[in-house]
Amino acid sequence: MSKNISEIFGSMVFSDVVMKEKLPKDVYKSLHKTIGNGSDLDITVANMVAIAMKDWAIEKGATHYTHWFQPMTGITAEKHDSFISPQSDGRVIMEFSGKELIKGEPDASSFPSGGLRATFEARGYTAWDPTSYAFVKDGVLCIPTAFCSYSGEALDKKTPLLHSMETINEQALRILRLFGNTAAKRVITTVGPEQEYFLIDKKFYDQRKDLIFTGRTLFGATAPKGQELEDHYFGAIKPRVSAFMKELNEELWALGILAKTEHNEVAPAQHELAPIFTTTNIAVDHNQLTMEIMKNVAARHGLVCLLHEKPFEGVNGSGKHNNWSISTDSGINLLEPGKSPHENSQFLLFLAAVIKAVDEYQDLMRISVASAGNDHRLGANEAPPAIVSMFLGDELEAILGSIENGTEYSGTEAATMEIGVHVLPNFIKDTTDRNRTSPFAFTGNKFEFRMLGSAQSVSGSNVVLNTIVAEELEQFADILEKAEDFNAELNKLISETIKNHKRIIFNGDGYSEEWQAEAERRGLLNLKTTVDALPHFVDEKNVRLFTKHKIFSAAEMHSRYEILMEAYIKIVNIEALTMVDMAKKDFIPAVSRYVGSLSATAASVLGISSRVPCLAELSLIEKLSGLNDETYSEVTALEEALKGAESCGEDTLKLGIYYKDVVLPIMDRLRSAVDRMEENTSAAAWPVPVYGEILFEI
Ligand code: ADP
Ligand code: MG
């Protein structure tokens, strides 16, 4: 039975339409004002909104409400309170007040705070974010909120994002005014994140401790077939997967999430979902919800959705493409090359700001995608390298070249620009030669940031993009507002910016070795791993940037650095412990038993007659016994290494380096030994499901 999509869409969202319908006119108006320009909300208004919200939610089957927030764990958190309120006659009524809508006090002592919140002050509070709509999920009214400590420090991923939206709004409006635009009231950034994921059968998942504890396989020899035939990409979707996607879409639509495209990805069992873009703040909330709902819907289909960046060796891992642009409140895309020379000079100024921002803050962009999981992808010839650069396409690069050199641009449809050089008025969107290897590619009217990991919140990357571009727009506005000859100053600014920052532009193959060398010659950063990248977060220039724009305080930055480094250490530690466990309890005993049965066979065959050949048994016994010993000694080494971590004390940087340089290489060696055992052991004797089954049987 197919339902009417336009009826489903947004049916579980307390949206603008619903508010208009359910709220008295003046209440709606003042709420709308708060949403539009961030003015304070009066408590009497909040009370009216709370009652309307509760009545609407109860109609949708809700019995509870929650302040839905995004702590530093990277996933969302909720604590449910029911609406019931006891009456003197023993009955209950359903109640919800403006106070409860605006502020919550979850016991927050167990969320990571990186030392920000002393335990005697463990309480944090959540504050309603009226710019993201409330919704009903599983019988619970979810109210999107920001999460802070009592002394006001942000403990979540939403607060800095909202601040960064404010900052870029302010600075971009200054630029628009310089170009005579007085109509725009607000500038927002927009995001459309393309989400990759794997779907596997739950019966295989349940048999592998590595998948259960770490979300990825820590062992596993490659199957005879991988992704080399490229027959999965955009291939026909299997019925079970298709049923999953159908249900997923319906759930997402009900929550007002604009799920648009779905297809099979490169690796077997890998898929992608892309929504239509929306305001960054909402896009981040929606992506968090999408990841959660993917997991829930998969479970109902006997499947498991793996969001890890590298669930399987030997086939592609999963990422997230963060499509980002800047737009006015009336929907004018400021990264869209214009039709007139006037619009084009404004476009080029915004473009110059992005170029300068990416060059000056390569480190922050790299850090925003750093995680233990993503370390397995970046630079592994399936995802962009760890070097941040940007792709503009040949035509745009030629235009910038002519501006820089003051020469005439002789492109196909060149025409005079106001800033005195020649440039095309009708930019031809070049969608044919998109560079898939670039970390940050201009794709016609937006930038596609391709380094993000599939499991990460997209909040961090957008906090960085919004803030660094706002910083450059501010510098530009400071200069241009004082200019005596606006066009001359504009021309100078754009050409100087290009001259000073063109090293960040690279249109070639980002996967190639030559690029590594070339990037080094250009002086670009190459922060290969999370441990290399994270410490730069608190570099002086970055602290200056974020504190200046009031995105983070210095204390918040240090706490975030600690949280991220600790997360890395904990993840690698859990992986190592899981490997030790599986090797000792699953693989070594299984191989030992198998060698025992081979030996029994060989002994009885040789017992009959020495003329009967049993070379297969004898060679396997020798090979597997050797590998089992090798496995055992690597396990012992790994256990020793984990104990040795104590020598680092509490110093997170020291610990991070230790796990990266000492623990990870032993994990690799242990895996290699076990994988060679798998290749030589009977399928019946192998204790866990193998890649061929997990990736192809669904
Ligand atoms: P692909 O990268 O697969 O070729 P598309 O060009 O269709 O895909 O777009 C990918 C994503 O970019 C979609 O989620 C889309 O909504 C988003 N997108 C398109 N325009 C913008 C924009 N102005 N701002 C942010 N995201 C955008
Ligand atoms: Mg894409």
Side-chain angles (χ1 to χ4, degrees):
M1 189 186 65
S2 81
K3 293 179 213 152
N4 184 341
I5 296 173
S6 56
E7 245 167 63
I8 300 174
F9 190 82
S11 59
M12 293 306 212
V13 183
F14 194 69
S15 63
D16 197 59
V17 182
V18 179
M19 288 187 225
K20 205 168 194 168
E21 188 192 313
K22 307 270 177 189
L23 294 171
K25 235 194 188 123
D26 51 331
V27 174
Y28 171 77
K29 256 198 187 149
S30 72
L31 179 60
H32 207 258
K33 226 172 105 198
T34 300
I35 296 172
N37 51 24
S39 56
D40 279 344
L41 195 65
D42 189 79
I43 185 71
T44 53
V45 173
N47 277 328
M48 307 278 278
V49 176
I51 292 169
M53 216 184 242
K54 177 207 65 186
D55 290 344
W56 167 84
I58 290 171
E59 269 172 44
K60 299 288 173 190
T63 52
H64 290 66
Y65 71 91
T66 184
H67 275 197
W68 185 77
F69 60 105
Q70 302 173 20
M72 292 302 295
T73 52
I75 53 174
T76 55
E78 44 194 84
K79 178 193 117 197
H80 303 166
D81 280 300
S82 74
F83 291 124
I84 59 168
S85 163
Q87 301 298 293
S88 53
D89 60 3
R91 292 179 311 141
V92 292
I93 56 164
M94 302 295 255
E95 258 184 5
F96 185 50
S97 69
K99 209 174 123 226
E100 288 166 311
L101 167 64
I102 291 176
K103 195 167 172 182
E105 297 187 14
D107 176 11
S109 49
S110 298
F111 291 107
S113 78
L116 261 190
R117 211 168 357 92
T119 24
F120 61 84
E121 251 212 319
R123 285 186 320 166
Y125 72 90
T126 48
W128 181 30
D129 164 22
T131 63
S132 184
Y133 300 125
F135 53 91
V136 169
K137 175 171 70 80
D138 283 337
V140 179
L141 168 65
C142 299
I143 300 151
T145 54
F147 178 42
C148 305
S149 77
Y150 258 84
S151 38
E153 285 112 352
L155 297 172
D156 70 346
K157 294 186 180 252
K158 177 175 277 244
T159 310
L161 183 68
L162 292 174
H163 287 306
S164 75
M165 295 290 283
E166 223 25 73
T167 301
I168 195 163
N169 166 55
E170 220 173 277
Q171 302 307 332
L173 277 179
R174 287 176 70 195
I175 300 286
L176 291 187
R177 302 290 184 252
L178 283 166
F179 281 88
N181 180 337
T182 49
K185 287 201 200 64
R186 245 190 113 71
V187 170
I188 53 161
T189 57
T190 51
V191 161
E194 302 165 56
Q195 175 74 48
E196 292 183 332
Y197 61 98
F198 279 81
L199 272 186
I200 62 168
D201 196 309
K202 187 162 185 308
K203 72 171 186 264
F204 297 133
Y205 174 89
D206 286 340
Q207 295 173 65
R208 293 202 56 132
K209 281 179 263 185
D210 47 4
L211 285 175
I212 293 171
F213 294 142
T214 73
R216 73 176 181 113
T217 55
L218 299 167
F219 301 96
T222 47
K225 182 181 167 181
Q227 63 191 38
E228 56 281 80
L229 294 179
E230 294 170 338
D231 51 354
H232 193 255
Y233 191 53
F234 282 28
I237 298 171
K238 289 177 182 163
R240 243 181 122 185
V241 175
S242 161
F244 158 86
M245 286 177 171
K246 188 164 173 292
E247 202 176 312
L248 174 65
N249 282 334
E250 282 178 9
E251 289 219 4
L252 295 178
W253 290 333
L255 290 170
I257 297 172
L258 296 151
K260 169 89 170 159
T261 50
E262 56 192 25
H263 60 80
N264 287 351
E265 258 301 329
V266 174
Q270 192 185 31
H271 311 278
E272 182 185 286
L273 180 139
I276 296 172
F277 69 96
T278 180
T279 310
T280 303
N281 171 33
I282 293 174
V284 171
D285 286 0
H286 282 180
N287 183 249
Q288 293 296 121
L289 276 173
T290 300
M291 291 193 283
E292 177 187 330
I293 290 166
M294 277 177 164
K295 291 191 163 182
N296 295 343
V297 173
R300 272 183 246 136
H301 290 256
L303 300 167
V304 174
C305 172
L306 301 177
L307 291 171
H308 194 283
E309 283 82 10
K310 193 72 185 178
F312 304 100
E313 278 301 319
V315 296
N316 279 8
S318 299
K320 191 134 61 182
H321 289 175
N322 187 82
N323 295 275
W324 179 90
S325 192
I326 317 172
S327 150
T328 66
D329 51 339
S330 58
I332 299 166
N333 184 346
L334 300 173
L335 292 180
E336 174 101 43
K339 292 216 162 48
S340 68
H342 184 66
E343 286 169 343
N344 266 333
S345 45
Q346 181 182 299
F347 161 72
L348 286 170
L349 187 67
F350 276 99
L351 183 69
V354 178
I355 293 170
K356 183 163 184 281
V358 176
D359 186 32
E360 289 180 349
Y361 298 100
Q362 303 157 42
D363 48 355
L364 286 179
M365 290 181 64
R366 170 68 184 91
I367 289 160
S368 79
V369 300
S371 73
N374 216 17
D375 277 1
H376 300 289
R377 286 176 68 239
L378 297 177
N381 277 345
E382 57 169 87
I387 306 162
V388 173
S389 68
M390 60 201 281
F391 169 83
L392 295 178
D394 293 339
E395 188 137 45
L396 203 46
E397 209 185 337
I399 293 166
L400 297 185
S402 69
I403 295 173
E404 182 194 348
N405 303 319
T407 54
E408 303 232 327
Y409 175 69
S410 55
T412 35
E413 295 182 49
T416 311
M417 269 195 47
E418 281 186 1
I419 60 173
V421 288
H422 285 231
V423 81
L424 71 168
N426 289 307
F427 188 88
I428 308 150
K429 261 202 227 168
D430 192 357
T431 47
T432 49
D433 74 337
R434 286 200 191 170
N435 185 329
R436 290 274 153 203
T437 64
S438 174
F440 195 66
F442 184 68
T443 51
N445 59 4
K446 62 183 189 293
F447 278 96
E448 188 167 343
F449 188 21
R450 302 204 182 104
M451 294 172 87
L452 285 79
S454 50
Q456 293 173 320
S457 161
V458 297
S459 177
S461 289
N462 290 299
V463 168
V464 168
L465 286 173
N466 291 344
T467 310
I468 64 180
V469 174
E471 165 64 26
E472 310 304 352
L473 292 175
E474 179 175 24
Q475 291 181 19
F476 288 2
D478 285 348
I479 294 171
L480 292 172
E481 279 170 0
K482 285 195 242 108
E484 273 167 25
D485 180 342
F486 179 74
N487 282 342
E489 197 65 64
L490 180 65
N491 191 5
K492 194 168 133 227
L493 191 57
I494 294 176
S495 64
E496 271 176 10
T497 304
I498 297 164
K499 209 170 277 152
N500 294 338
H501 300 284
K502 66 180 175 188
R503 63 171 187 169
I504 198 72
I505 300 166
F506 176 61
N507 287 351
D509 178 3
Y511 292 178
S512 67
E513 293 209 1
E514 296 83 70
W515 172 232
Q516 306 268 335
E518 165 69 14
E520 197 179 335
R521 266 195 301 278
R522 294 190 189 187
L524 299 180
L525 287 171
N526 188 358
L527 302 169
K528 290 206 168 85
T529 70
T530 298
V531 178
D532 300 312
L534 287 181
H536 291 285
F537 187 58
V538 287
D539 281 356
E540 203 194 319
K541 80 178 217 306
N542 296 333
V543 174
R544 213 178 320 125
L545 172 84
F546 281 127
T547 52
K548 173 182 166 197
H549 293 279
K550 303 198 167 53
I551 310 296
F552 297 115
S553 66
E556 284 170 341
M557 291 184 71
H558 280 96
S559 94
R560 265 156 220 257
Y561 161 65
E562 288 288 326
I563 291 169
L564 293 169
M565 191 65 99
E566 267 174 24
Y568 174 90
I569 294 160
K570 285 177 186 164
I571 287 167
V572 180
N573 190 54
I574 292 169
E575 289 182 346
L577 289 172
T578 305
M579 289 186 91
V580 169
D581 184 281
M582 289 175 82
K584 290 208 321 201
K585 294 185 180 149
D586 297 333
F587 301 125
I588 293 174
V591 170
S592 176
R593 272 195 304 277
Y594 182 54
V595 168
S597 77
L598 287 171
S599 307
T601 307
S604 62
V605 167
L606 291 171
I608 298 166
S609 154
S610 59
R611 291 211 310 273
V612 184
C614 65
L615 189 62
E617 286 82 358
L618 292 176
S619 324
L620 281 171
I621 290 165
E622 201 181 327
K623 187 178 240 161
L624 284 169
S625 297
L627 285 170
N628 224 13
D629 279 0
E630 189 180 327
T631 301
Y632 184 77
S633 73
E634 295 299 353
V635 170
T636 312
L638 188 52
E639 286 177 311
E640 286 301 315
L642 290 175
K643 273 199 217 113
E646 282 165 21
S647 68
C648 303
E650 302 270 284
D651 185 333
T652 39
L653 178 58
K654 242 177 158 180
L655 271 166
I657 294 170
Y658 182 86
Y659 274 90
K660 169 175 81 81
D661 289 341
V662 179
V663 177
L664 279 178
I666 306 175
M667 287 165 63
D668 284 344
R669 292 203 300 272
L670 174 56
R671 177 185 183 132
S672 153
V674 171
D675 290 357
R676 278 174 284 143
M677 297 207 294
E678 184 193 318
E679 284 163 357
N680 289 286
T681 300
S682 134
W686 197 248
V688 299
V690 298
Y691 275 20
E693 297 168 293
I694 305 171
L695 287 171
F696 292 96
E697 292 177 27
I698 184 164

